[in-house]
Amino acid sequence: MISQPFDFHAPRHVDEALLLLDEAGERARVLAGGMTLIPLMNLGLVQPEVVVSLNHIDELDYIVERNGELRIGAQTRHATVQSDAAIARAAGHLAAAAAHIGDVQVRNRGTLGGSLAHADPAANYLPVLLASDATVVLQSKSNQRVVAIRDFVVDLLRTSLTSGELVVEVRIPSLRAGAGAAYAQMARVEGSFPMVTASAVASRETRKARVAIGGVTARPVLVECGLEPAGDASHIAQAEVREPLVDMHGDAAYRRSLAGVFAERVLTAAVNRAGDVRTSR
Amino acid sequence: MSVALRLTVNGREHEVQIDERMRLVDLLRDVLRLTGTHLGCGTGNCGGCTVLLSGRTVKSCCILAIDANRERVTTIEAMSTPGGQLHPIQEAFVSNQGLQCGFCTPGMVLSAAQLLESNPHPTTDEIRTAIAGNLCRCTGYQLIVESIRQAASALARRETPDHDGPTL
């Protein structure tokens, strides 16, 4: 049993949720999948007065491809992102990132929108969305705005979400013909928080690549570079890691080195896959 | 504060008034007295509280009971028959000594059940991935993997099921 009482709401529609969030303001916490929020409430580390669950809002659970981009509803579960055919075809690196989140039970319940709103630096999706120059749709009672992922994450566990706003959708450009993408990460044990997450999108057409590294800094790092030599991505990534996160698992030099190794690794994989979009991962 | 909850557990409908602070695991154990679901860490790590929520495994310590309103829950109690006949997955755990203290076993069995339902012939790696969210502190993973492998064979051998397992 959780120690602190709270008012619980389970709206069936987004509009209803937004009204509740507008009314409760800072007193409310959004319960998406709950894979972070409920453990924190169990431990008494987060004690919201109002909990608004999104688990009964079916209209936030969808995947559509339109105008060359995938639009994914915020309540889409990681297990769905991992296994959906349209995502596998148009953004295989997103599916690969989802497949590495937590464990089966966590992927069955946790959601794309919940992960983004929490903005853990080790969140698997962040480098994928940054490499793909994705956007998130934020909705409040009176306003909707579309924010680039690079502007959405502002610091450690901090986003540009304001009081009363909800992540409702993620938009990720579909990989074009001649483009390849990759995701890679390293965690000490399967299911634990990765020490580094990395993703790259490379285009043979433009001869350019975007490489993003997460888990080593408060916000993910972006490297824009050519397709070769892949070592360039490594050098730039290491230079961009100005203030590495330091903990018992790795000091600054080690984290910076990881960024370089993984930048090179995902860029090489993305370039190898470019040209065969159907099987890109 | 008391809230009204309606849900189906192991095929049986329940309507109860509960404290909104109650987690699904608390409801199952303390209200419905289904104590086969175990509470371990309370932080979503150990998997002892694994149940099926609308057919998918979840950790019931990380779900508010009230958030399971109108949902369908399946617990380890539904795996065996009312007469006590074990499910073939449970039989495989017994015959391979896939358990020592047994605390993690209900979660392991349900994770195995979900795996075998979608993938009747898993590789060893697929079995290991399927139980990555279930910790065994007796370090019996090798025998657990072996149990699941044998359960897969046993289930594949059965031409016509003579045991009505739960609808996952």
Side-chain angles (χ1 to χ4, degrees):
Chain A
M1 186 102 102
I2 291 163
S3 58
Q4 286 297 313
F6 49 87
D7 288 332
F8 177 83
H9 299 279
R12 314 282 285 188
H13 298 283
V14 178
D15 288 354
E16 207 184 321
L18 295 172
L19 283 176
L20 288 162
L21 291 174
D22 182 68
E23 198 177 302
E26 300 288 345
R27 295 182 298 123
R29 285 283 179 156
V30 174
L31 169 55
M35 295 297 94
T36 302
L37 180 62
I38 303 295
L40 291 177
M41 287 172 68
N42 282 339
L43 294 168
L45 295 174
V46 175
Q47 301 182 335
E49 289 175 44
V50 177
V51 172
V52 179
S53 168
L54 307 181
N55 285 296
H56 304 269
I57 305 181
D58 294 341
E59 64 200 21
L60 282 179
D61 183 4
Y62 57 86
I63 298 161
V64 293
E65 199 171 3
R66 189 183 305 157
N67 303 331
E69 69 179 7
L70 279 170
R71 297 183 171 195
I72 309 174
Q75 273 303 96
T76 306
R77 314 272 176 193
H78 305 315
T80 307
V81 176
Q82 177 185 352
S83 61
D84 181 77
I87 292 179
R89 198 171 51 243
H93 53 325
L94 187 70
H100 284 285
I101 296 172
D103 49 51
V104 175
Q105 294 96 314
V106 168
R107 295 194 290 274
N108 280 342
R109 188 69 175 172
T111 72
L112 176 61
S115 173
L116 293 181
H118 183 51
D120 191 296
N124 297 23
Y125 291 128
L126 292 179
V128 170
L129 298 180
L130 185 57
S132 276
D133 203 10
T135 53
V136 287
V137 181
L138 311 182
Q139 179 107 37
S140 67
K141 191 183 90 171
S142 53
N143 189 34
Q144 187 189 74
R145 57 194 180 112
V146 182
V147 179
I149 199 75
R150 63 176 177 276
D151 300 323
F152 177 70
V153 179
V154 297
D155 201 351
L156 193 79
L157 303 175
R158 298 217 171 271
T159 68
S160 60
L161 276 167
T162 58
S163 175
E165 258 184 337
L166 196 61
V167 176
V168 292
E169 186 178 270
V170 174
R171 296 177 180 172
I172 178 167
S174 303
L175 290 173
R176 296 167 192 279
Y183 174 80
Q185 68 167 55
M186 188 172 80
R188 289 179 63 252
V189 180
E190 175 158 348
S192 64
F193 284 97
M195 285 189 280
V196 61
T197 57
S199 184
V201 175
S203 166
R204 285 200 185 278
E205 206 176 309
T206 63
R207 307 293 303 165
K208 283 180 182 159
R210 288 170 64 95
V211 181
I213 305 292
V216 296
T217 45
R219 304 171 65 207
V221 164
L222 176 67
V223 173
E224 293 177 276
C225 57
L227 302 195
E228 55 194 6
D232 283 357
S234 171
H235 295 308
I236 302 170
Q238 291 185 67
E240 288 291 324
V241 178
R242 294 195 184 88
E243 291 179 61
L245 298 169
V246 173
D247 60 20
M248 63 188 281
H249 301 308
D251 61 14
Y254 180 65
R255 279 259 159 62
R256 188 172 284 122
S257 160
L258 276 181
V261 169
F262 275 77
E264 185 168 342
R265 192 174 293 178
V266 288
L267 176 59
T268 304
V271 169
N272 286 341
R273 285 161 194 169
D276 187 5
V277 176
R278 283 163 303 169
T279 58
S280 58
R281 268 274 177 182
Chain B
M1 199 180 77
S2 174
V3 289
L5 167 66
R6 197 180 75 204
L7 82 174
T8 305
V9 180
N10 299 337
R12 205 174 136 200
E13 265 205 46
H14 294 273
E15 274 193 65
V16 284
Q17 286 287 324
I18 58 160
D19 190 312
E20 83 282 355
R21 297 174 297 166
M22 199 170 260
R23 300 160 300 183
L24 184 54
V25 64
D26 303 321
L27 173 84
L28 294 170
R29 290 182 59 83
D30 302 340
V31 178
L32 305 182
R33 310 306 290 175
L34 295 168
T35 52
T37 302
H38 294 162
L39 175 59
C41 64
T43 54
N45 286 289
C46 78
C49 64
T50 298
V51 299
L52 296 159
L53 183 64
S54 296
R56 290 177 135 187
T57 50
V58 294
K59 293 177 179 176
S60 60
C61 75
C62 293
I63 291 176
L64 295 175
I66 187 62
D67 215 12
N69 197 23
R70 298 181 225 203
E71 301 252 21
R72 186 164 47 85
V73 177
T74 306
T75 70
I76 190 67
E77 282 84 357
M79 291 296 283
S80 57
T81 63
Q85 190 195 341
L86 296 181
H87 186 277
I89 295 173
Q90 294 171 305
E91 292 283 6
F93 271 72
V94 172
S95 55
N96 288 281
Q97 208 176 346
L99 64 152
Q100 287 184 36
C101 83
F103 192 89
C104 71
T105 314
M108 287 285 182
V109 168
L110 290 173
S111 286
Q114 174 166 302
L115 168 71
L116 298 180
E117 194 196 40
S118 59
N119 180 1
H121 305 288
T123 64
T124 300
D125 275 355
E126 286 168 340
I127 293 173
R128 289 182 175 279
T129 299
I131 59 168
N134 297 85
L135 303 186
C136 170
R137 296 201 66 185
C138 305
T139 65
Y141 294 110
Q142 206 59 41
L143 294 173
I144 291 169
V145 171
E146 193 52 41
S147 302
I148 297 172
R149 204 200 322 274
Q150 288 215 5
S153 311
L155 288 166
R157 271 199 307 275
R158 290 191 317 176
E159 283 182 317
T160 50
D162 55 358
H163 174 105
D164 293 325
T167 313
L168 297 187

